[in-house]
Amino acid sequence: MAAAMPLALFVLLLPGPGGWCLAEPQRDSLREELVITPLPSGDVAATFQFRTRWDSELQREGVSHYRLFPKALGQLIAKYSLRELHLSFTQGFWRTRYWGPPFLQAPSGAELWVWFQDTVTDVDKSWKELSNVLSGIFCASLNFIDSTNTVTPTASFKPLGLANDTDHYFLRYAVLPREVVCTENLTPWKKLLPCSSKAGLSVLLKADRLFHTSYHSQAVHIRPVCRNARCTSISWELRQTLSVVFDAFITGQGKKDWSLFRMFSRTLTEPCPLASESRVYVDITNYNQDNETLEVNPAPTTTYQDVILGTRKTYAVYDLLDTAMIHNSRNLNIQLKWKRPPENGYIHYQPAQDRLQPHLLEMLIQLPANSVTKVSIQFERALLKWTEYTPDPNHGFYVSPSVLSALVPSMVAAKPVDWEESPLFNSLFPVSDGSNYFVRLYTEPLLVNLPTPDFSMPYNVICLTCTVVAVCYGSFYNLLTRTFHIEEPRTGGLAKRLANFIRRIRGVPPL
Amino acid sequence: TVSIVHVLSYLAGIAWFLALAFPPLTQRTYMSENAMGSTMVEEQFAGGDRARALARDFAAHRRKSGALPVAWLERTMRSVGLEVYTQSFSRKLPFPDETHERYMVSGTNVYGILRAPRAASTESLVLTVPCGSDSTNSQAVGLLLALAAHFRGQIYWAKDIIFLVTEHDLLGTEAWLEAYHDVNVTGMQSSPLQGRAGAIQAAVALELSSDMVTSLDVAVEGLNGQLPNLDLLNLFQTFCQKGGLLCTLQGKLQPQDWTSLDGPLQGLQMLLLMVLRQASGRPHGSHGLFLRYRVEALTLRGINSFRQYKYDLVAVGKALEGMFRKLNHLLERLHQSFFLYLLPALSRFVSIGLYMPAAGFLLLVLGLKISSLHEAGVGLEPGGSPGPSVPLPPAQGVGLASLVAPLLISQAMGLALYVLPVLGQHVAAQHFPVAEAEAVVLTLLAIYAAGLALPHNTHRVVSTQAPDRGWMVLKLVALIYLALQLGCIVLTNFSLGFLLAATMVPTAALAKPHGSRTLYAVLLVLTSPAATLFGSLFLWRELQEAPLSLAEGWQLFLAALAQGVLEHHTYGALLFPLLSLGLYPCWLLFWNVLFWK
């Protein structure tokens, strides 16, 4: 043992930082990407994606050395046997009608959905603990997730990564519509990035600008992916995404001009040295169509064309890494079949139990073209127990947003893309073929006013009665239970005897 | 058998009501909502010229198209950066509305939503301008658009703001509100709304028809006498004071001197005006319809009189901007302050705890009367009461059986009054040379009068031993019926309840088939619900210092009847069914007591 220790130290110290890559093939990689999309309404959307991929079996115990992958999350995966974790914080609402379909939408507030490994025995306990831990990591009130707002969807929220089976028992989903997202949630999110906010694209993530927008959504997605083409072993993928929509009307005084500096009050200076890929994509599709006299400055090095969300898009690509050195040359075409449920018109309803679990209504419906489908749910307003009201009961109570997941037939047939090579914004949702694309839309949360008692009066009454009771009861109790008896005067201590002695000498009556 | 206690109680009720305008009972208003109280906002609106230009454009387009210039509004709202939606609606009124000159109504509402950044559209505020068929309110639309442009440039909004321009004034508002809340309560046909912005927290309706105003009048009384939270009024008053605006209530300036008798007397005048307006149960401005959906709302009207000092649109805009910014601060719905109050002045109010005794004293008369009748041995128990009265004959059941016919007949009359005028308008219009609206009103009056002439008492067997028993039982039932109805009305709409109680209670207590029946009959007719309405119209114009002649009064009365029926069908006002199905049958019972054979 004594001999082994120095040997181990020696082995660890000998290959310096430069030699590490030589000693072992690259085990983890970072790709970062920024997509800037001028929206139909004139606003500008910016979507950051950072992908950290690690070829490691995190589930196995004993993984202790972390390089790019954040240790906090890695340990979480190991400890709670996570298969997938999706967490998003959103402030604002993606207005699909005006902004077009989003790359990734999230409901207003905080959303967390997790697939656990099938080795987990007590899923609810793990879920509870996990939400508390995440609450600490992201400085959010995720600890408010409990059985009353957790559901287990049966049709939606399939795993996005590698999955052998999809037993819904291991899925948990919760939304906290009241969660307010602010700097304290952004900072821990930024700290998960390998370059933090020191270099690369993350330099642009200045809180004061990001929260000056119409929409702010940040998310963390963890999932297992195939390590190689044959999918013999798995890698872990961490995606950190952040979308913001800048209000062109306010920032640009009604003009369509924008620049990185104007949006983020920063410019890009250097790539993140740890990143294997660092790119900025600018959607120039509409500019080409409209034949606008428009200049993208500086001129893009290359352009990228693809079918995104059913339409053909052209992107100007800026590669932040000067050389065409791309470490990642493995060709991997992941084929994940999106399991279609066998029958159409699936309806799953799980009624609520008061104070235990919420309602869950899942409907699988085929919408006719150019039609309006209205799903309405009748509900009754009931009085809550008086301790269940929030401190601001007259604000109303939130009903979580509903989720619409759809496989939309694409207008243009997309060519099957190399999944590993395509930009990050195009590859979060697994799509089986080019004729469909997947969207997930969220509705606004609903604010419902419940009958609210006038809290001012009961509170006063309670305070007053408690005071009266305390005062009356206290004194009465004292009077009734205490016994009073006259205490015989003691002969006194030394001081008294001394005083009496002096008094006797002076001829004054003693005390 | 009217004791001095009855008289005293009645007089106490009236005196208490009259005393409400005097300082110990009126209190100064104060802001209760913390979110709106402590911080003062700085108003920066400076779009007066823009508002005037937009108003001119709007008026020109409206003249050209003869209706709401929907396309122009959409374009303009879009250009100031709002999300714009339209809603079309149509409504066939139950009979032609002669006051507003409309029957088959179809129109389009235009609204633009300013989306608050980083908010999920869970809450919103509404600024609305109702546009009628005439060319009024153009300046209000101009100001609305200019405010929208100014608001759009600000980043501090936490709630979405809806800028709503409705066509056919209140009808459009009703259509929009129903579609927004996805309900249909009045048979309005409208297209569903495409854009929504969560729960509406507060609404302000604006009516402005001139470039300059001398004062801003605020209207609070809504549908069925509902009132907005007092804090909303306090908010308006705060900005009146801050901007040095002249603000009025009921079109009257606020009395200044509350120490002498002048102030309270003026206050009493305003209090009476408010009571009359609240009792009418009609929405006094498009804000009145919002109140039904628990949206606190009020209407601001720009008045342009011959006063010397005038304010331009910037001053009004600043007041509105300030109000909206403060409302934007709200964390909860307005709930801290009073929902039930009377206003003797803009800055003074009477809370529910202080005005309720007035109605309580009046209802006490009924209570005393009921108990004295009960003590006199009139009971509904078939077995007879073991009271001090003479041993009751076995034909005690007569008392109960004799009630069935008058109760049924009077209730049937009420039902006929409620249903027949609108149902039979075409028949009436075919057979008589009158228009439908007139036919409705005349049928209404005819049925009302016919109720008096119908024989109610079909029961001919009168107990010889207790000849008074029959009518006393009927009177007992009628008194209980009246007391219950008035009690319920007073709780929901104090003004209406008090007015009805003040008129109906004395004659109801007096009614008996002895003595000078003619005098009693005249008294009873004078205090019937219709006569109360007629008298209220005169009092109303008298208080507004525009007295009515008898002929004018009659015309106004007919118009008010038609409006009452119409408002019940179009907005769901409850005064008409309340009077026809509840109070009129009850009043007929007293008539029946009076002419008991």
Side-chain angles (χ1 to χ4, degrees), chain A residues 20 40 116 134 149 211 220 349 353 356 364 376 398 404-405 407 434 453 494 507-508:
Chain A
W20 186 260
F116 290 94
L134 286 173
N149 48 24
F211 289 105
V220 171
Y349 178 61
Q353 289 170 17
L356 284 178
L364 193 67
S376 61
Y398 284 93
L404 178 78
S405 310
L407 212 54
L494 184 66
V508 199

Side-chain angles (χ1 to χ4, degrees), chain A residues 95 213-214 247 395 449, chain B residues 118 121 152 331-333 335:
Chain A
R95 310 202 178 276
T213 51
S214 302
D247 189 343
H395 179 66
N449 265 79
Chain B
R118 296 178 309 289
S121 294
R152 183 65 179 87
L331 297 174
E332 302 179 61
R333 256 166 211 278
H335 67 284

Side-chain angles (χ1 to χ4, degrees), chain A residues 407-418:
Chain A
L407 212 54
V408 183
S410 179
M411 303 291 269
V412 196
K415 62 178 187 302
V417 287
D418 182 353

Side-chain angles (χ1 to χ4, degrees), chain A residues 451-468:
Chain A
T452 312
D454 178 11
F455 279 111
S456 56
M457 196 194 70
Y459 275 33
N460 288 337
V461 171
I462 289 165
C463 292
L464 192 72
T465 5
C466 286
T467 315
V468 169

